Amino acid sequence: MFKAINAVQIHVSLDKIEPEIWRRLVLPASWNLDELHLAIQAAFNWWNYHLHEFRIGGLRYGDVELLTEDAFDGDPRVFNSRDVHLRDFEEGATFSYLYDFGDSWRHTIVVEEFGAFDVTPKHGSCIDGARARPPEDVGGVPGYERFLEIMSDKADPEHAETKRWCGGHFDPEWFDLAVTDKDVRNALRPSVKRRLHQPKPSQKRD
């Protein structure tokens, strides 16, 4: 008996950072781009404080009212992100997601495959990934590179203050699948709270 497609597997990676920071998610195919936005926020533990948009085939998708208010002359028209669903894409489709127009965290999204589960998924899940995302408001890719330099050099005059700013600890290689999967499963919960800082390892010594 034919099973209807009800899930999609996507790969999301941050642009212009090496080694790659990425997550692999399995989401309900019925979800729209607005719900995909919340899943990405959860997967990377972004705080959802800033504007975002999707770029698909040269078109912009997001909150029409907010993005229109923030638009510059010549910017493409904005379409409602709730009108596009994950099931509308084809396998192999690639598009971009921009979070925080100041820091400009651009993500590349690849639709890897669709699935037909016996039970239609009601929430998303994270099945793989690598590396910690940069701290919020660190200043984009250049700011993140400088942040890593400061954090790796205790003699840097900005080291102590920067360490306090990021919560006392930051490991760029950190990724916990169980924690991230739980975050993604709760992505659509109202008033969901994000961790302000990366969890500290219990055995870490300064």
Side-chain angles (χ1 to χ4, degrees):
M1 181 179 177
F2 174 76
K3 295 181 180 179
I5 289 174
N6 54 24
V8 58
Q9 177 177 300
I10 66 169
H11 183 279
V12 187
S13 59
L14 262 172
D15 294 356
K16 298 182 179 180
I17 296 179
E18 294 292 341
E20 187 177 61
I21 300 169
W22 62 276
R23 306 287 185 263
R24 177 167 284 118
L25 310 178
V26 175
L27 308 173
S30 61
W31 277 15
N32 58 40
L33 293 181
D34 203 40
E35 292 163 318
L36 173 59
H37 155 69
L38 294 176
I40 295 173
Q41 289 287 304
F44 288 88
N45 193 44
W46 292 123
W47 297 347
N48 201 16
Y49 284 176
H50 304 284
L51 289 175
H52 74 278
E53 69 174 23
F54 292 91
R55 289 274 182 140
I56 306 172
L59 301 178
R60 303 172 71 202
Y61 294 85
D63 185 310
V64 174
E65 183 176 350
L66 288 178
L67 294 180
T68 300
E69 289 178 356
D70 198 61
F72 294 96
D73 290 341
D75 279 351
R77 175 186 169 190
V78 180
F79 295 88
N80 195 327
S81 57
R82 296 181 179 180
D83 293 337
V84 179
H85 297 81
L86 297 180
R87 60 172 176 257
D88 298 332
F89 294 93
E90 296 181 353
E91 288 188 1
T94 301
F95 56 102
S96 69
Y97 167 76
L98 176 65
Y99 172 63
D100 186 349
F101 291 9
D103 279 8
S104 295
W105 297 119
R106 189 170 297 279
H107 307 63
T108 295
I109 301 171
V110 180
V111 179
E112 294 187 321
E113 62 179 326
F114 289 92
F117 294 172
D118 290 336
V119 178
T120 300
K122 295 181 179 180
H123 52 67
S125 62
C126 180
I127 60 173
D128 204 357
R131 308 188 76 232
R133 58 98 171 131
E136 288 266 8
D137 302 323
V138 77
V141 174
Y144 181 52
E145 292 172 348
R146 175 61 183 144
F147 167 80
L148 293 178
E149 291 176 358
I150 294 171
M151 289 294 288
S152 64
D153 182 6
K154 293 183 179 180
D156 192 295
E158 298 180 47
H159 178 83
E161 182 180 353
T162 301
K163 187 175 181 179
R164 285 194 297 270
W165 174 78
C166 74
H169 166 75
F170 185 84
D171 178 4
E173 300 303 321
W174 180 84
F175 172 73
D176 188 311
L177 179 59
V179 169
T180 306
D181 181 51
K182 182 179 180 180
D183 289 343
V184 174
R185 288 174 180 270
N186 292 327
L188 302 192
R189 290 183 62 183
S191 303
V192 64
K193 294 182 179 179
R194 300 277 183 248
R195 292 178 304 280
L196 294 180
H197 304 295
Q198 188 182 103
K200 296 180 182 179
S202 57
Q203 302 300 317
K204 183 175 176 59
R205 295 288 186 271
D206 290 334

